Amino acid sequence: MENFIAYLKSISSLKEESTKDFFSKCQIFTFKKGHQLVKPGQVSQYLYFVKSGMGKVYYLKEEKELIDWFSDEGNLLTSVTSFLTHQPSRHFVQLMEDSVLIGISYRDLEELFSKHHDLERLGRQLCIMALVQLQDRVNAMQFQTAKERYDHFLVQFPNCINRISLGELASYLGMTQVTLSRIRGLK
């Protein structure tokens, strides 16, 4: 829990009472590799913090897996749009390794936002961070070369490179495995 507390406090200052209330609503989940937290058509009920392990957010197009996001230790994991709008997800959220997650339900989070303004501010900051990450991803796909996207991935997800397959990485970066192999060969 200490890493999660430090993560939250690095985003926005929290009062002691708010922190205690927040963690009283959190649950610890242990799941095996391959577990699907969310499937298309389901509403994402929880916001997860990855204590250990790794997950991905992806969708299928013409039977092909297209990865939107990876989350490893110290990061949040959910189907963001589904969680925030409470609408059915278009994405899968799947664990890539045995994982321990700290989760809080949408209902509990909303209750805490109503009670504690510092937690509400934290929620706003998390939404801003997610929006900026999304825009960075769109910008990368529009304006960066394949090599620049790969180099940015190494900076953004330094602990993931040896934990994901070449196909998963190519999918996330929006390139073929051949192109990715060629770029990696230049290193």
Side-chain angles (χ1 to χ4, degrees):
M1 284 288 198
E2 298 84 31
N3 290 344
F4 191 29
I5 294 169
Y7 172 77
L8 296 176
K9 288 185 175 182
S10 74
I11 296 167
S12 185
S13 61
L14 297 175
K15 296 177 183 171
E16 191 64 32
E17 179 186 354
S18 305
T19 303
K20 285 181 183 177
D21 276 358
F22 182 84
F23 284 103
S24 74
K25 301 286 187 179
C26 288
Q27 300 174 50
I28 297 188
F29 297 91
T30 303
F31 297 110
K32 294 288 186 191
K33 175 182 178 177
H35 179 81
Q36 292 184 340
L37 298 170
V38 180
K39 297 177 187 173
Q42 293 179 330
V43 174
S44 184
Q45 299 290 336
Y46 283 86
L47 176 64
Y48 298 100
F49 174 82
V50 181
K51 184 174 179 184
S52 66
M54 187 170 172
K56 62 184 174 182
V57 179
Y58 69 96
Y59 62 98
L60 297 177
K61 185 172 184 178
E62 298 173 7
E63 308 273 333
K64 185 176 179 185
E65 184 178 294
L66 300 171
I67 298 174
D68 281 341
W69 200 254
F70 295 107
S71 290
D72 64 346
E73 292 84 2
N75 290 296
L76 297 176
L77 178 62
T78 193
S79 174
V80 175
T81 303
S82 176
F83 182 78
L84 293 176
T85 65
H86 226 58
Q87 297 296 313
S89 180
R90 294 179 154 192
H91 291 85
F92 293 88
V93 180
Q94 183 176 13
L95 297 174
M96 302 168 69
E97 300 174 349
D98 291 350
S99 300
V100 177
L101 309 175
I102 301 169
I104 187 164
S105 73
Y106 179 87
R107 178 181 293 151
D108 287 340
L109 197 55
E110 283 296 313
E111 179 183 306
L112 289 167
F113 287 166
S114 294
K115 185 176 177 184
H116 300 285
H117 292 296
D118 56 335
L119 288 175
E120 187 176 37
R121 184 174 46 255
L122 171 67
R124 187 179 73 243
Q125 290 302 111
L126 287 170
C127 286
I128 290 168
M129 288 172 54
L131 180 61
V132 169
Q133 288 176 337
L134 174 62
Q135 187 61 54
D136 286 348
R137 178 121 166 84
V138 169
N139 287 345
M141 296 306 247
Q142 290 177 326
F143 302 114
Q144 292 181 337
T145 65
K147 183 178 182 328
E148 289 170 334
R149 289 194 306 273
Y150 177 72
D151 291 341
H152 182 72
F153 177 86
L154 295 176
V155 171
Q156 187 177 24
F157 297 106
N159 300 321
C160 293
I161 194 68
N162 295 321
R163 298 165 70 185
I164 59 178
S165 72
L166 189 66
E168 289 168 324
L169 180 56
S171 171
Y172 175 78
L173 295 174
M175 62 183 75
T176 66
Q177 288 186 41
V178 172
T179 299
L180 180 56
S181 292
R182 190 174 67 246
I183 291 168
R184 290 174 66 160
L186 298 174
K187 294 279 177 190

